[in-house]
Amino acid sequence: MVRGSDSEAREGGGFEAARANGIHGAVDLNGHLGEPILAVANGTVMVAARSDWGKLGKTVILDHQDGGHTIYGHLHTVEVNVNSHVTAGQLIGTMGYSGNARALKAKQLPPHLHFAYVRGFVPLARIRASGDGLGNLIRERQCAGRS
C-alpha cells in the first residue's frame, strides 16, 4: 500500500507528492520491518549499500540492461552484492527504517520501501544526493529524451 500522509510526508508517498527539493518521483510502499523485498525484474546490482547511502539509507540499485534502473531505499538489510546478477523475484533486501526514514520509527509509523524506476543514464551520485526528490532527475531525463 502506498504510504499516506503523516507528520513526515504531508502529501504522502505517491509519485507526484511535493518534497522540499521537488516532487517525490518514487512511491513509498508501507510494510513491516524485515519484510522481504524482491527484485521486480532481472538485473545487475549497481549499488548494494549496507550502511546509509545518503537520505535513502541502506539502498539497492539494479541496472536492468534495457536503459532502466530500479531503486530500493530505506532497507533494513541488503542481501545482494555489487556486480551480482539477480533474477525477477529474487530477495534483494528487507524493509526497514534506514536513512531519513528513521524518524518514522520514533513516531510509531510503519517502515516503507522507497521504490523508483529511472530510465536512461543518471549518475549514481545524483541519485544519492537527491534522496526523496527524484522527480527532478526523472523530469530532466524526460526532457532530454524529447530533444
Side-chain angles (χ1 to χ4, degrees), residues 63-135:
D63 179 348
H64 296 290
Q65 309 298 310
D66 64 353
H69 295 79
T70 49
I71 302 165
Y72 307 80
H74 303 312
L75 300 175
H76 181 64
T77 64
V78 170
E79 304 294 333
V80 292
N81 296 308
V82 172
N83 295 323
S84 62
H85 180 74
V86 298
T87 57
Q90 181 178 333
L91 177 71
I92 59 171
T94 60
M95 189 171 298
Y97 286 106
S98 64
N100 65 0
R102 276 189 192 86
L104 301 176
K105 188 173 186 179
K107 295 179 180 187
Q108 298 182 344
L109 295 169
H112 67 274
L113 171 68
H114 177 91
F115 176 79
Y117 175 81
V118 179
R119 189 134 180 92
F121 175 74
V122 177
L124 294 178
R126 295 224 31 226
I127 293 171
R128 181 178 184 176
S130 68
D132 267 359
L134 290 171

Side-chain angles (χ1 to χ4, degrees), residues 127-141:
I127 293 171
R128 181 178 184 176
S130 68
D132 267 359
L134 290 171
N136 291 336
L137 293 175
I138 293 166
R139 191 173 298 120
E140 288 172 19
R141 295 302 314 147

Side-chain angles (χ1 to χ4, degrees), residues 23-95:
I23 66 167
H24 190 214
V27 291
D28 289 338
L29 303 170
N30 280 348
H32 304 283
L33 184 63
E35 185 173 340
I37 303 300
L38 310 177
V40 297
N42 297 345
T44 301
V45 180
M46 301 297 296
V47 172
R50 288 178 169 78
S51 59
D52 274 1
W53 198 69
K55 294 177 182 179
L56 292 176
K58 296 177 183 178
T59 302
V60 170
I61 299 179
L62 301 179
D63 179 348
H64 296 290
Q65 309 298 310
D66 64 353
H69 295 79
T70 49
I71 302 165
Y72 307 80
H74 303 312
L75 300 175
H76 181 64
T77 64
V78 170
E79 304 294 333
V80 292
N81 296 308
V82 172
N83 295 323
S84 62
H85 180 74
V86 298
T87 57
Q90 181 178 333
L91 177 71
I92 59 171
T94 60
M95 189 171 298

